[in-house]
Amino acid sequence: MVNPSNVLTQANNNACMMLVKMTTPAEQGIAKTNAIIPLPSLRDCSGLQFFDLKLVGAVASYLHGSAFTIRKLGKQDGATQWSAPCFLQMHQIGLGLTVGYDDVKTIVVLGSDAALRKAQGTRSLVGADLDVIVGKDSAVVQSDVSQTQAIPYSMADGALIDFSVKGGRVTVDDKLNKQLYGPSVTVDHILAGDVDTPEEMRPLYNAIHRLIVQAGTSV
């Protein structure tokens, strides 16, 4: 049986760690990545995705991991409100020369409603789309993604030589979402704010709020 509190607490802790590292300039001694998220993009976005992925390979490669999407709902008492997390799964297979392992963590800033709609469903990824999520130590913007304003920021920790041709798939983790929120809950319910915000995710939402305050008001 899934322990909802444990799942949500782990998701919160991983996301908070990513957010700190990807919003802190390297010269301040915390970040180990060049993928620094501009704070105004958090203020102005429609949603965020957090990917926690592992890539292993010996000739062929296999990437798997979990992710979740949160949607910006508006403001209440001066603070930005966010939806409960909608959990996803990702799987990728690569054929070619791949040796080693990598631990890839990515935050995708969904800068428009169109980007949010594309991100909330099941989709296949090949080539540039896949590189967006598993790109390393930089903000990677590919043509298809930039048109829908989904900008990824990634960091990787491992040793991997990878010259493989990749294909992947992101799916909504319906089983986990129903275990967390109830058997009748859908993706639309979660991202519309019809599901109560879990208390376990409060530290992440508070951290995002502090960064939005630092960003100031839009011009």
Side-chain angles (χ1 to χ4, degrees), residues 52-66:
D52 187 5
L53 307 171
K54 296 188 183 301
L55 177 63
V56 295
V59 182
S61 63
Y62 178 62
L63 180 143
H64 64 96
S66 61

Side-chain angles (χ1 to χ4, degrees), residues 42-111:
L42 297 178
R43 177 195 63 206
D44 300 332
C45 73
S46 294
L48 297 169
Q49 287 186 307
F50 296 82
F51 286 83
D52 187 5
L53 307 171
K54 296 188 183 301
L55 177 63
V56 295
V59 182
S61 63
Y62 178 62
L63 180 143
H64 64 96
S66 61
F68 65 84
T69 304
I70 55 175
R71 181 189 179 195
K72 186 182 290 182
L73 299 175
K75 288 189 175 183
Q76 181 177 332
D77 299 327
T80 300
Q81 303 298 303
W82 296 87
S83 72
C86 177
F87 284 88
L88 312 170
Q89 293 178 315
M90 179 173 176
H91 300 277
Q92 172 233 299
I93 295 176
L95 299 176
L97 175 59
T98 305
V99 179
Y101 74 94
D102 228 336
D103 186 3
V104 182
K105 299 183 185 298
T106 298
I107 297 176
V108 181
V109 179
L110 303 170

Side-chain angles (χ1 to χ4, degrees), residues 105-153:
K105 299 183 185 298
T106 298
I107 297 176
V108 181
V109 179
L110 303 170
S112 68
D113 289 339
L116 183 66
R117 285 192 297 272
K118 181 176 180 180
Q120 71 186 44
T122 295
R123 62 196 190 277
S124 297
L125 300 171
V126 294
D129 282 338
L130 185 60
D131 288 341
V132 160
I133 294 177
V134 300
K136 305 170 189 175
D137 281 332
S138 62
V140 183
V141 184
Q142 302 291 348
S143 57
D144 179 62
V145 175
S146 61
Q147 288 173 8
T148 55
Q149 299 181 18
I151 304 178
Y153 299 85

Side-chain angles (χ1 to χ4, degrees), residues 187-215:
V187 174
D188 290 339
H189 291 145
I190 298 170
L191 295 181
D194 295 336
V195 173
D196 290 339
T197 301
E199 283 302 312
E200 291 88 347
M201 301 298 295
R202 190 65 57 189
L204 174 63
Y205 300 150
N206 290 342
I208 298 171
H209 174 67
R210 289 192 294 269
L211 294 170
I212 290 174
V213 170
Q214 290 181 38

